[in-house]
Amino acid sequence: MFGFAPLLLLLTAAIPTKATGNRVKSMHARPTMIHHGANSTILGFDDIPTITGLATVPSPYSHFDFSSYNVITPRDPSLVGKISPHDLNCALSPPNALIGSRDLSNPVNGPIKASFKIANATAMTEHGLFPYFDLLTFYIKPMDAPPPGTTIWVKGYSHSRKEPLEWDVDFITGYHLPLLVKLQQYTGEAWEQLYRVEIWADYGDDALDWEFCVDDLEVRLHEMTKVKGGEGAAEQVVLVEKVEV
């Protein structure tokens, strides 16, 4: 990044590789969730404790596995001078948000995009949930002041269709407020029965990586209900609950 060095490179060493006793207790607690209407839940990541303003995302977290993301507490004093003051708005529901970036550590396979997916399909079905989710809305913004031609891309993989769902947005140079992404409204299609979502940001002719932050993921899970007089299961919307696997 131009104004500030990439945050994940600066602070990765500060993230503990093993959870402390307090961390383990927190990871097995029910996540803090904001109920948004009767049929969806917003994941705010605010129950995850951070050290020096950054932490890994426990897996599973509310049935999901997050890859190439970390939890960030923008207003943590440890981050003063390491992130732009214009990025204190990353966390729409303070104190935490997610910061994402492509994983560039494997030159053979190339950059790995930040993603979240169903962590354990078998465990979900054992607990009476269909192994997929709907993605409704979320907030997103590029970190710092992105250079010209910076684009954030979103791709969703669904059991209900062969081709992935896609959406992207371009950002002009300068600092930005978080953007509320309403997927069905912006794409004309419902992002449903998903098993994986990728998000990444790049700029320039060489599609260089750019960090971004995400908060308040609004998701919907579907509960299995037994059908009377026969075999099989019907769907029923359920609010996200943490299931130990």
Side-chain angles (χ1 to χ4, degrees):
M1 301 169 74
F2 294 142
F4 290 80
L7 180 62
L8 296 186
L9 293 179
L10 280 174
L11 299 181
T12 297
I15 304 175
T17 56
K18 294 184 179 180
T20 63
N22 290 336
R23 178 66 181 280
V24 171
K25 181 178 180 180
S26 174
M27 288 169 61
H28 289 277
R30 178 173 296 179
T32 301
M33 298 174 292
I34 305 170
H35 298 302
H36 186 267
N39 296 335
S40 64
T41 298
I42 295 179
L43 302 179
F45 312 99
D46 300 319
D47 60 309
I48 302 174
T50 61
I51 299 175
T52 63
L54 207 63
T56 56
V57 185
S59 182
Y61 181 79
S62 298
H63 305 296
F64 295 100
D65 176 64
F66 289 83
S67 178
S68 294
Y69 284 102
N70 279 293
V71 182
I72 183 173
T73 307
R75 295 187 180 275
D76 190 292
S78 301
L79 298 184
V80 174
K82 295 179 180 177
I83 67 171
S84 167
H86 299 278
D87 288 332
L88 297 180
N89 58 10
C90 276
L92 263 293
S93 54
N96 293 344
L98 295 184
I99 180 171
S101 178
R102 286 182 292 178
D103 183 353
L104 307 176
S105 62
N106 192 330
V108 176
N109 297 327
I112 300 175
K113 299 161 186 171
S115 65
F116 56 95
K117 64 181 181 180
I118 294 297
N120 189 322
T122 301
M124 287 189 71
T125 56
E126 289 175 350
H127 287 87
L129 296 173
F130 285 95
Y132 53 73
F133 63 98
D134 304 338
L135 181 58
L136 306 181
T137 66
F138 57 90
Y139 283 89
I140 197 165
K141 61 163 279 182
M143 298 291 285
D144 202 8
T150 297
T151 303
I152 290 181
W153 311 81
V154 185
K155 183 178 289 188
Y157 298 87
S158 172
H159 291 294
S160 64
R161 52 185 290 158
K162 293 182 178 179
E163 299 298 324
L165 294 149
E166 297 181 300
W167 179 80
D168 62 85
V169 58
D170 297 325
F171 289 87
I172 62 173
T173 302
Y175 301 106
H176 294 271
L177 295 172
L179 171 67
L180 175 59
V181 179
K182 303 176 181 180
L183 285 170
Q184 183 166 355
Q185 178 178 330
Y186 293 170
T187 66
E189 299 180 275
W191 287 49
E192 57 189 12
Q193 295 189 29
L194 302 172
Y195 57 90
R196 178 185 177 91
V197 172
E198 296 175 340
I199 304 178
W200 71 99
D202 58 34
Y203 70 96
D205 295 336
D206 296 325
L208 301 175
D209 188 59
W210 194 264
E211 290 179 340
F212 60 92
C213 65
V214 177
D215 199 14
D216 290 358
L217 283 169
E218 185 181 5
V219 298
R220 179 188 292 136
L221 297 184
H222 297 265
E223 185 177 33
M224 297 177 178
T225 57
K226 293 183 179 179
V227 178
K228 292 183 178 180
E231 297 182 355
E235 285 191 8
Q236 177 178 328
V237 172
V238 63
L239 294 176
V240 176
E241 299 289 349
K242 178 143 179 149
V243 176
E244 303 303 335
V245 295

